[in-house]
Amino acid sequence: MDAKEELIEQPSSPESVSPPPPLRSDKETTEQPPSRPVSVSPSLRSDILRDVVFWRRKNLSLLVLVLATATWVLLDVYQFNSITIVSGAAISIVTLLFLWGNLLRLLGKEPPDLPGLKISEQSTMDVANSCRGIVEEAVRWMFHVSVEREWFVFAQVVGGLLSLSYIGTFTDLLTFLYIGIVMGMTVPVIYVKYDDKIKRAGDQVKVKAKRLYEMVEQKIKSNKFVIKEKEKKIE
């Protein structure tokens, strides 16, 4: 009995008792670090467009060119209505999918899970960011041209816009867009291929244009000086 009482009466050592866990305040338990927004790199916005324009993805570039040509031929040459073309394309797609699914069932295979297809949020954000980047570049370019001091840049832009307005009097919007797509998929490739020659020719044109401008300016100043001298002699 004495041994049992000694065992019971002996206090436990402080090392054997584990301290209670520290209490956390309500702010520490509820507050969490704010999640960082997902950012899309600007360099990835126009990678697909750049690959299509420079024919790095030949299949996709060829598909875009064929679709543009087919659309222009059907709408402009054969004078089809756009609603008729869209309806016919939708009917063809639905019919092909229906026949394909029934053929797979007859062969004892499971058809693909087409209802599970969806557009991801990342793809939507990429497209929206690409459109925003194009608009920002256009606005930035307009302000850059308006405040540019070099007259050649301003004259070049105005001449290009005047040429576009003049070409627009001979074509409709669909033909103009088709020509723009074809030129957009051919001119950059040619420019990259013959970059050095085009730059040399452009530099020569700039030098000649500046010389011509200086000659005209000198003639105007000399004529003003002669007119002032004549006015002084008359007085």
Side-chain angles (χ1 to χ4, degrees), residues 102-133:
N102 288 323
L103 183 61
L104 291 177
R105 292 189 187 92
L106 290 175
L107 296 175
K109 298 180 180 180
E110 293 184 359
D113 188 13
L114 294 179
L117 296 176
K118 64 179 182 179
I119 299 174
S120 62
E121 185 178 357
Q122 185 67 30
S123 301
T124 307
M125 291 296 296
D126 292 340
V127 173
N129 289 326
S130 299
C131 295
R132 186 186 67 180

Side-chain angles (χ1 to χ4, degrees), residues 8-22:
I8 294 171
E9 290 176 356
Q10 284 179 356
S12 59
S13 61
E15 295 178 358
S16 61
V17 179
S18 61

Side-chain angles (χ1 to χ4, degrees), residues 15-230:
E15 295 178 358
S16 61
V17 179
S18 61
L23 297 176
R24 294 184 180 180
S25 62
D26 295 334
K27 292 182 179 181
E28 292 180 354
T29 55
T30 56
E31 289 184 358
Q32 294 180 355
S35 59
R36 299 176 65 182
V38 179
S39 60
V40 181
S41 177
S43 61
L44 298 177
R45 294 176 182 174
S46 58
D47 286 343
I48 297 176
L49 180 61
R50 192 180 298 109
D51 293 340
V52 170
V53 170
F54 290 101
W55 290 82
R56 294 170 185 169
R57 299 184 183 184
K58 294 183 179 180
N59 295 329
L60 188 58
S61 302
L62 186 62
L63 179 62
V64 171
L65 192 60
V66 169
L67 287 176
T69 304
T71 304
W72 178 74
V73 169
L74 291 174
L75 293 177
D76 194 73
V77 178
Y78 291 101
Q79 298 296 322
F80 279 101
N81 192 358
S82 58
I83 300 176
T84 305
I85 295 174
V86 172
S87 299
I91 291 170
S92 301
I93 292 171
V94 171
T95 304
L96 290 174
L97 291 176
F98 178 77
L99 294 176
W100 183 37
N102 288 323
L103 183 61
L104 291 177
R105 292 189 187 92
L106 290 175
L107 296 175
K109 298 180 180 180
E110 293 184 359
D113 188 13
L114 294 179
L117 296 176
K118 64 179 182 179
I119 299 174
S120 62
E121 185 178 357
Q122 185 67 30
S123 301
T124 307
M125 291 296 296
D126 292 340
V127 173
N129 289 326
S130 299
C131 295
R132 186 186 67 180
I134 292 171
V135 174
E136 288 179 353
E137 288 294 331
V139 174
R140 194 179 296 113
W141 176 77
M142 289 174 64
F143 280 102
H144 175 72
V145 171
S146 61
V147 299
E148 186 67 34
R149 293 184 178 180
E150 294 184 2
W151 66 271
F152 184 76
V153 177
F154 177 75
Q156 187 177 6
V157 173
V158 173
L161 294 175
L162 287 174
S163 62
L164 285 177
S165 63
Y166 180 73
I167 293 170
T169 58
F170 297 99
T171 59
D172 55 352
L173 180 61
L174 183 62
T175 305
F176 184 73
L177 291 176
Y178 175 68
I179 293 172
I181 292 173
V182 174
M183 291 183 66
M185 296 185 67
T186 53
V187 173
V189 178
I190 296 172
Y191 180 80
V192 170
K193 189 175 181 180
Y194 302 100
D195 189 10
D196 296 333
K197 296 181 180 179
I198 294 173
K199 285 182 178 179
R200 290 174 194 167
D203 293 336
Q204 291 177 0
V205 171
K206 286 182 180 180
V207 171
K208 291 180 180 179
K210 287 182 179 179
R211 289 178 181 174
L212 181 61
Y213 176 76
E214 290 175 357
M215 290 172 60
V216 173
E217 188 178 9
Q218 288 178 359
K219 287 183 179 179
I220 293 172
K221 288 181 179 180
S222 61
N223 290 332
K224 288 182 178 179
F225 181 75
V226 170
I227 292 170
K228 288 181 180 180
E229 290 293 331
K230 288 182 179 179

